[in-house]
Amino acid sequence: VRACGLRLSASRRLVLEALFAAAGPVSAEAIADGLAGRLPPADLASTYRNLETLERIGLIRHVHLGHGPGRYALVGSPEREYVACERCDAFVALSAGELDAARAAVARASGYRARFTHFPIVGLCPGCAGREGHAHP
Amino acid sequence: VRACGLRLSASRRLVLEALFAAAGPVSAEAIADGLAGRLPPADLASTYRNLETLERIGLIRHVHLGHGPGRYALVGSPEREYVACERCDAFVALSAGELDAARAAVARASGYRARFTHFPIVGLCPGCAGREGHAHP
DNA sequence: ATACTTGCAAATGATTTGCCAGTGT
DNA sequence: ACACTGGCAAATCATTTGCAAGTAT
């Protein structure tokens, strides 16, 4: 952290603590609110600035799940890729490798090297797909 | 159109003409501007309302390509699915079926039924993937 | 005639920026 | 000390909403 010429200020440390404490990816607002009281609150604009800084040095990353705000998480091993439901905002986080077959199929069809870390695969979760097409959804 | 109890007003017709005239998916702002002068301009808020209405009755749909605004297109046959580059915003539109292998791989890994019509597959286009990892990008 | 539509202005949600005072190193 | 940071207010971007006036049917 300091190795990048950055200062380890109180609010910067708070952002990192929040991301350690969080179960999954969390929004900037949730972090600024101190994860519902579990941590001291911080200014929202500063939180966004800190998230951007920490992302630039590769400590964290953000993913866009559903229509809401972006969600941030520590970069860890194994790396996570996401599949999200466009109807109910449910999502699953898979480990690197589990989507390699899909990646290969995309490369074959389009030439693109797909990455599901920043923008997830979007579709219907088993529950919403089951309700699809029924008479009374 | 009228079959749904809707009126075919001037600005509604204009939105449809713009979508017929456009080569690919276009933003609401581009439509409201009359596609750079090719058509008369319209109010942006009304354009958004008309796009929403036309999408609700299934005539059009929108897709989120890159970081910019959503882009609208007529629903046609063959149906289109998209693969977009997260670095340079280039994208390719594939016909329904071309991504079925990828869809099957996703279903195997996650149980989700992926659809790439509203949120595209995101990754690196061949050009950006080639530059990735080089000494001086 | 009447309900659907428009246009304009103002609100919204997420995120960014300007600016000046505060503080790690 | 000095540049990096924090907090607060105001700006931005895409999109939505309120409302009075207009118009397709």
Side-chain angles (χ1 to χ4, degrees):
Chain A
V1 183
R2 269 185 270 249
C4 296
L6 294 171
R7 292 177 189 172
L8 191 45
S9 62
S11 69
R12 197 109 80 194
R13 166 176 275 126
L14 215 46
V15 168
L16 288 170
E17 282 177 18
L19 292 178
F20 268 107
V26 284
S27 70
E29 191 169 24
I31 295 168
D33 286 350
L35 295 184
R38 289 201 281 150
L39 291 168
D43 180 69
L44 183 56
S46 299
T47 300
Y48 270 110
R49 265 193 285 236
N50 281 327
L51 289 168
E52 187 202 327
T53 301
L54 294 171
E55 187 161 31
R56 182 162 38 75
I57 67 176
L59 275 186
I60 69 176
R61 126 181 10 263
H62 77 274
V63 58
H64 298 278
L65 297 171
H67 286 145
R71 293 160 176 277
Y72 296 79
L74 294 171
V75 168
S77 326
E79 203 48 86
R80 297 300 191 182
E81 296 195 292
Y82 299 91
V83 185
C85 181
E86 64 183 68
R87 180 163 303 172
C88 73
D89 278 12
F91 68 92
V92 295
L94 303 175
S95 306
E98 295 189 68
L99 287 171
D100 282 350
R103 204 178 337 272
V106 171
R108 239 175 284 123
S110 69
Y112 279 50
R113 161 181 292 285
R115 293 169 29 151
F116 310 117
T117 48
H118 184 197
F119 291 108
I121 292 171
V122 177
L124 296 171
C125 70
C128 289
R131 278 186 286 284
E132 174 116 311
H134 287 13
H136 301 292
Chain B
V1 183
R2 268 184 271 250
C4 295
L6 294 171
R7 293 176 188 173
L8 190 45
S9 63
S11 68
R12 196 110 81 197
R13 167 175 274 126
L14 216 45
V15 168
L16 288 171
E17 282 177 18
L19 293 178
F20 268 108
V26 284
S27 70
E29 192 170 23
I31 296 168
D33 287 350
L35 295 184
R38 289 201 281 149
L39 291 168
D43 180 69
L44 183 56
S46 299
T47 300
Y48 270 110
R49 267 192 286 236
N50 282 326
L51 288 167
E52 186 202 327
T53 301
L54 294 171
E55 187 161 31
R56 182 162 39 73
I57 67 175
L59 274 186
I60 68 175
R61 105 172 354 155
H62 77 273
V63 58
H64 298 278
L65 296 171
H67 287 145
R71 293 161 176 275
Y72 297 79
L74 294 171
V75 167
S77 325
E79 203 48 85
R80 296 301 192 183
E81 296 195 291
Y82 299 91
V83 184
C85 180
E86 66 184 68
R87 182 163 301 172
C88 72
D89 278 12
F91 68 92
V92 294
L94 302 175
S95 305
E98 296 189 66
L99 287 170
D100 282 349
R103 202 179 339 272
V106 170
R108 240 176 282 123
S110 68
Y112 278 50
R113 160 184 292 285
R115 292 169 30 150
F116 310 116
T117 48
H118 185 198
F119 291 108
I121 292 172
V122 177
L124 296 172
C125 70
C128 289
R131 279 187 285 285
E132 175 114 314
H134 288 11
H136 300 291

